[in-house]
Every structure is written in structure tokens, then in C-alpha cells.
Amino acid sequence: MSDLIETLQNIVDDAGFIDSEDLAGHSAGLRDDRPLKARALIRPKTTEQVSAVLRACNQAGQAVITVGGMTGLVDGHRSGDSDIVMSMQRMNTISEVDTKTRTLEVEAGAILQNVQEKAAQAGLMFALDLGARASCTIGGNIATNAGGVRVLRYGMMRDLLLGVEAVLADGRIISSMFKVLKNNTGYDLRQLFVGSEGTLGVVTRAVLRLHEAPQSIETALLAIPCWQSVMSLLRRFDAALTGRLIAFEVLWQNYYALNTGAYSDVDAPLSDSAGFYVLLDVNISNGDSDKEQLESILMQSLNDGLAVNGILASSESERHKFWQIREIFEPEQRKFGLVYGYDISLPIEAMPEYVDTVSRNLKAKFADAELFSYGHIGDGNLHFTVAPGAARDHSAIDEIVYQPLRNLNGSISAEHGVGIEKKKYLNFTRSQAEIDLMRQLKNMMDPNNILNPGKIFDV
Ligand SMILES: Cc1cc2nc3c(=O)[nH]c(=O)nc-3n(C[C@H](O)[C@H](O)[C@H](O)COP(=O)(O)OP(=O)(O)OC[C@H]3O[C@@H](n4cnc5c(N)ncnc54)[C@H](O)[C@@H]3O)c2cc1C
């Protein structure tokens, strides 16, 4: 055993050290059958242990890949045989809710769903919500600046973060665990770690901002004839409900049909003949009157033809079923086996033309490929699932998806980050001057390039 490995083993307890030979049973990610690759897997219990691990690795020039729930979708958590993988999952304490400041202190390995439940027990809400809620961690959410389905109303992870504690590559602990909303004392160091994908420091603790919980949430599913109506409906609901529209998801016809069709366990609540389907969540805070207002907007939208059909979930289980149509991935897996996922943003009004362009170019190059579109359209965030066809040419499909964004002022990553998967295309969204500044920051904070090297960009 090398000196470094022995040092690392001595820093953590027995359960905190797993040698490379004992990694069987540890996978490379959620829904990833490949075995985890690492020189050793370290599972610290305290910030001080994280600090000691990084100090030792920094001195040895040893690469460290920090992981949370390993649900990331851009290979940001990917490791190799020579890396130390540091899992934050044992640092998962969630404090009692501070109802006066409406905050919650958590360790970075706390699972998002557990955090949501803790807030709910105190009658409050932690607003971040996404399909991987049962596995992803707050540290991972911070490191990827996760978005999800409620960004329209509550913002992304960076908007829900009041304080952060992180450990730098050399082991220094930067504690900025503020509970206040406003703090204009120099540079906002907390935000440096948001979206940095484990390349600038290891997040160990956070202070999260909570919101008042609504009395209930109403969910509606609407069938929409055309894109113009989708945009008009978004304006109508957002304006009339003044801050109570919390999710506005759009599913293109073929995505809706796939997730309610022969390969799915979910039945279609509405026929699959409309061009688009809107799934929306509305906070209800004033009982019947809020609900009546929502029903009246729905009725008006049906009467004037913006929607051709619509249904309000009548129970929690029906709400869940509507959301499954948006979130399930089994039908695409069953039908195609392999699919490529995309997460991009662009101005909403440009979306239909952009989707047509991508679809046309895809078919021209790979006649047997298929494109499915959906996303957090209220935030200008579009997701694609691409069944690549027999050629399985991932990089050619990346080009087809990303190239048109350059003229549209769009982004190659709306919320998943860059990781390894998108780094080749970083300059589609960021100028050379911006990338140079990012490199300078990285070189300054991690001069030995030990923190998640090779992710986002090469130094
Ligand atoms: C079904 C599904 C649905 C999803 N839906 C959404 C969605 O709607 N919106 C969205 O934004 N994302 C979504 N995602 C992806 C999302 O980025 C991740 O789910 C989540 O934010 C990552 O958290 P994690 O704990 O799994 O991090 P990991 O996957 O373990 O890591 C992700 C990145 O963060 C870094 N990292 C992890 N923990 C730390 C830490 N403590 N300190 C420093 N760096 C760290 C890693 O090095 C890596 O670069 C989805 C994923 C799945 C599987």
C-alpha cells in the first residue's frame, strides 16, 4: 500500500475507506451498470476529514473526484482507475428547521427528498425539485446548480442557497454559513462553488432558504393545438395567478405518446392527438377561491381554443400519474435501449423553429433516428431524448443539436452542467475571454489541478 493510501485510510474510519480491490458492488452511477473505477473510495464523516484528505492529496498531486448521488447527466462524476473518489453520502445530517429565519442547515450528502420532507414537517417548503430527488444530494445540486421543475417561481439552486461551507484543494475550510438573504460584503464567494462541478472546492455544508408551503398544489394537464397557444397560455396563467404558477412543463406530441403508449405503464389521461401537452402546477393558498380561479382560467382557455382538452388532477395519486408522464424514462429504454439526452436553453419563441431544424437535420443524416422534445419551457429550458438509430454516432448528433444554438443566443447546458460530455462545446456558449477567466480562477484555487480534473474544460 502506498504512503498516500495509508494516510487516507488513517484519516477516516474503517467504513470510510474502501480499497480499489473491494469496489465490486459499487457502480459508476445511478442507472449505470459499469463498476466504479478508483484507486480508493473515501467516505468522510466530517469537514475536518475532507480537509485532511484534500491536504494529503494536494501534496501528492493526487486527483480527487467528489461524488454525491451520482445522478449527474454529463459525466461530471466520472472517475478513472488512478483517481481517489470521495463520496459525500455519509455526511448527510439535516438540522432542525429554523422557522424564524426559514432556513435549514444540511451536510452536503443529504438527499434532496429527505431535505424536502424535513422542511415539510415544519410547514415550510424547500422548493428545489427534480426527477432524481430520491438519490441526488444537496452538494451535487449545488455543484451542478440544479434547476428542475419549479425554477419558474423559485429559481435555481443558487437562488435557494444562503450559506455554504467548502474545502479548497489545499485543505483550507471556507465557511460562509450565513442565514441572511442580503450580504453585500465583497465578492460572493458562496456562488463560486455553485455550478463549479467539483472543480473549485468540495462543498461540505449549506444553509438552504425555505419558503412558505402552499396549502396544496393543483396539477392540470392540457392538450394544446399549436406553439402560439403554448406561449399565450404561459402568459395567461402567469399573469392571472400572480406568482402561484410554479411549474409549466411542455411535452411534444411524440414524447407524450411514447410515455403513455405501448411501452409505458402509465395510461393516457387525454388522447395523444394534440401537437403539445402542458403540465402545470399551481400553489393553492386560499382554499376554494384559488381553485375556482384556476378552474375559471382553464375553462376560458378551452372556450377560446387555446387548449383543445384539459383535465385537473382530482387526487394526489392522479397528480403523481400526470407527473410520471413527464418524468418516466422506462418507455424510451424499453423501446430503444440506448438514447442520448440533451438539456439546452434558448428563447421560447425560437423553440419550434429550432426543434424543426434539429429534427430535419437529424433525419437527413440518420433516417432511422428519432427526436423527442419536452422540458421546463416556462424557463426556456428544452430537453431532447434522441434515439440515435443504428449508426449510434453520438458526436454527429451533438453537432446537429448544438450548432444551431450559436445563432440563437442559446446555451448548450441549461441546468445539467458541462462535465465531460459537453466540454467540447463550451465555446458555443462562452466566449474565449470567459473561458480564460474560468481557467485563471481554477489555476488560482487549485494550482495542482487535483479537483475533478478534465471536467468543464482542460486547464
Ligand atoms: C432522473 C433524473 C432527473 C434529473 N432531473 C434534473 C432536473 O430536472 N434538473 C436538473 O438540474 N438536473 C436534473 N438531473 C441531473 C442533476 O444534475 C443531478 O440529479 C443532481 O443535481 C446531481 O446531484 P448528485 O448528488 O447526484 O451529484 P453527482 O452526480 O454525484 O455529481 C454531479 C457533479 O457534482 C459534483 N459534486 C457532487 N457533490 C459535490 C460536493 N459535495 N462538492 C463539490 N462537488 C460535488 C461532482 O463532482 C459532479 O461534477 C436529473 C438526473 C436524473 C437521473
Side-chain angles (χ1 to χ4, degrees), residues 27-33 69-73 77 131-132 134-136 329:
S27 79
L30 186 83
R31 293 197 249 137
D32 192 336
D33 295 337
M70 302 174 84
T71 67
L73 297 173
H77 59 277
S135 307
C136 64
F329 55 88

Side-chain angles (χ1 to χ4, degrees), residues 437-451:
L437 182 57
M438 289 191 216
R439 271 206 188 96
Q440 278 178 304
L441 270 172
K442 168 76 174 166
N443 284 333
M444 191 264 294
M445 292 178 71
D446 179 18
N448 296 329
N449 192 24
I450 64 157
L451 294 176

